[in-house]
């Protein structure tokens, strides 16, 4: 067993997803536990998964990423999820049995916010507390502005532009999308607030710069799931498309690392259906996935000095409403 820097393993930490129809509702209940999500919304999202056979693409995409990363690093690579098998606790138990003492955690989320960062740290801490002899786990830093992440996203955006009809390609507008979050969460993301939206805008700017810097672009939001009375980041991608003034659009899911369910349903189904109704030429860029430039980012971060720990007040948990009696 080798080491890279001060680590003797790499732990890929992801969200998790169902892999058969019977998994879907238990998975969703795991995701929303303790949150005030209407049952109607859960049933709606369950239908999205069942449309694709009850299987989320995210687990296979994690396997693909691990297969791409393993030949590039000199330590064993493990995988644990927050919300579905393989659970973090089970993976840490296996790591302890294998004699792993100190692991670097690569989280499949590139940005700062409670749900994109702090919640992963909390879940790692809970899993470690439940496992005797669990290894120390150090989360690798955010990578939204890493040249490899930007290059991968720029390549995929360029490919999406080339799929548009030639007549409308030059004037196509880039519409970057990311998962919406409550305004209260967005306001407290990062050590001094506002980091989630600021980081996404910077990532989009860097991609546009890599493409030549002369494209019109927007940042919009998708996949909101909270109660209607709670304000979330807007505009929604479909609302934005309804009012857009452009000969064509390329959707760029800058907020996601892989083409998981919220990408393939919200963009490839809902947004694509709307664009067809409008007669708007639309192409969707792939996420970074297993692009070689992105895979290289993992090894680069693993070899770097240990990152500083997040401040205690960084990305605080949002207040939870008390359940009804």
């Amino acid at each position: 067993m080798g080491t890279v820097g001060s680590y003797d393993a790499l732990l890929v930490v992801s969200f998790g997803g169902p892999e058969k129809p019977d998994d879907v509702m238990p998975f969703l209940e795991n995701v929303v536990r303790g949150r005030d999500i209407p049952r109607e919304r859960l049933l709606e999202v369950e239908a999205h998964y069942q449309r694709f056979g009850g299987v989320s693409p995210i687990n296979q995409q994690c396997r693909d990423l691990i297969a791409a990363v393993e030949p590039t690093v000199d330590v064993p690579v493990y995988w644990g999820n927050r919300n579905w098998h393989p659970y973090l606790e089970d993976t840490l138990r296996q790591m302890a049995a294998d004699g792993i003492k100190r692991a670097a955690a690569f989280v499949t989320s590139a940005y700062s916010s409670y749900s994109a960062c702090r919640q992963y740290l909390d879940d790692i801490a809970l899993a470690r507390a439940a496992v005797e002899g669990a290894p120390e786990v150090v989360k690798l830093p955010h990578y939204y502005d890493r040249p490899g992440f930007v290059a991968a996203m720029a390549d995929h955006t360029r490919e999406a532009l080339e799929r548009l009809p030639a007549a409308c390609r030059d004037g196509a507008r880039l519409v970057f999308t990311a998962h919406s979050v409550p305004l209260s969460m967005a306001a407290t993301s990062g050590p001094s607030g506002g980091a989630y939206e600021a980081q996404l805008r910077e990532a989009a700017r860097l991609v546009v710069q890599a493409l030549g810097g002369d494209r019109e672009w927007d940042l919009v939001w998708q996949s909101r799931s909270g109660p209607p009375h709670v304000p979330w980041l807007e505009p929604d991608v479909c609302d934005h498309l309804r009012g857009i003034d452009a000969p064509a659009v390329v959707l760029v899911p800058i907020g996601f690392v892989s083409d998981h369910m919220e990408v393939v349903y919200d963009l490839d189904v809902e947004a694509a259906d709307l664009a067809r109704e409008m007669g708007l030429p639309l192409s969707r860029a792939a996420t970074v996935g297993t692009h070689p430039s992105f895979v290289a980012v993992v090894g680069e971060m693993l070899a770097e000095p240990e990152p500083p720990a997040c401040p205690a007040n960084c990305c605080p948990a949002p207040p939870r409403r008390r359940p009804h009696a």
Side-chain angles (χ1 to χ4, degrees):
M1 182 172 64
T3 60
V4 175
S6 60
Y7 308 115
D8 55 2
L10 173 66
L11 172 61
V12 174
V13 185
S14 195
F15 193 80
E19 298 199 84
K20 61 181 186 295
D22 288 348
D23 291 348
V24 176
M25 187 53 74
F27 160 75
L28 293 175
E29 289 169 346
N30 271 351
V31 173
V32 304
R33 183 170 291 116
R35 296 165 57 191
D36 185 28
I37 304 298
R39 185 70 177 178
E40 295 77 13
R41 176 59 180 165
L42 284 187
L43 294 170
E44 178 185 341
V45 175
E46 181 190 29
H48 299 173
Y49 282 93
Q50 300 299 359
R51 176 178 178 143
F52 292 88
V55 179
S56 168
I58 193 171
N59 277 359
Q60 186 56 49
Q61 287 160 6
C62 283
R63 295 183 184 101
D64 293 343
L65 178 61
I66 290 166
V69 166
E70 281 180 324
T72 72
V73 298
D74 293 328
V75 292
V77 182
Y78 294 83
W79 168 35
N81 289 327
R82 279 174 43 193
N83 297 297
W84 204 246
H85 308 281
Y87 283 109
L88 266 170
E89 182 177 328
D90 296 333
T91 300
L92 287 175
R93 189 168 287 108
Q94 182 62 56
M95 293 170 73
D98 292 345
I100 302 299
K101 301 300 183 186
R102 199 164 192 271
F106 177 83
V107 172
T108 59
S109 175
Y111 302 94
S112 295
S113 77
Y114 172 71
S115 58
C117 182
R118 173 62 64 181
Q119 195 170 9
Y120 282 99
L121 290 170
D122 291 348
D123 286 347
I124 289 169
L126 287 171
R128 290 189 67 241
V131 175
E132 184 175 354
E136 182 183 357
V137 178
V138 177
K139 182 183 177 295
L140 295 174
H142 305 301
Y143 45 87
Y144 65 92
D145 57 351
R146 292 267 176 164
F149 180 87
V150 173
M153 205 72 249
D155 278 354
H156 289 161
T157 303
R158 196 175 293 110
E159 291 164 1
L161 280 163
E162 291 170 355
R163 290 194 294 270
L164 288 170
C168 59
R169 198 174 296 158
D170 289 345
R173 194 172 187 91
L174 304 183
V175 176
F176 292 87
T177 75
H179 203 301
S180 186
V181 298
L183 293 185
S184 58
M185 186 186 295
T188 58
S189 62
S192 57
Y196 181 64
E197 187 171 1
Q199 290 170 359
L200 282 157
R201 290 194 181 280
E202 176 63 5
R205 186 192 69 80
L206 290 170
V207 170
V208 173
Q209 178 179 287
L211 292 170
D214 57 350
R215 288 275 177 185
E216 295 290 328
W217 63 276
D218 309 295
L219 175 64
V220 303
W221 311 95
Q222 61 173 92
S223 312
R224 73 155 289 164
S225 60
H229 64 275
V230 177
W232 285 47
L233 288 170
E234 295 179 338
D236 174 78
V237 58
C238 287
D239 292 339
H240 184 70
L241 290 179
R242 289 185 183 98
I244 203 160
D245 181 17
V249 164
V250 171
L251 295 179
V252 187
I254 192 74
F256 304 88
V257 169
S258 64
D259 287 11
H260 55 71
M261 184 57 65
E262 287 164 320
V263 174
V264 299
Y265 186 84
D266 294 355
L267 301 185
D268 296 349
V269 175
E270 287 191 333
D273 285 351
L274 174 62
R276 276 191 292 272
E277 291 172 11
M278 295 172 59
L280 175 69
L282 182 143
S283 181
R284 199 266 290 174
T287 50
V288 289
T290 57
H291 189 292
S293 295
F294 177 58
V295 170
V297 168
V298 184
E300 290 166 7
M301 292 197 299
L302 192 63
E304 290 172 356
E306 181 178 331
C310 288
N313 65 338
C314 189
C315 302
R320 302 294 193 197
R321 291 182 60 182
R322 296 181 64 182
H324 298 296

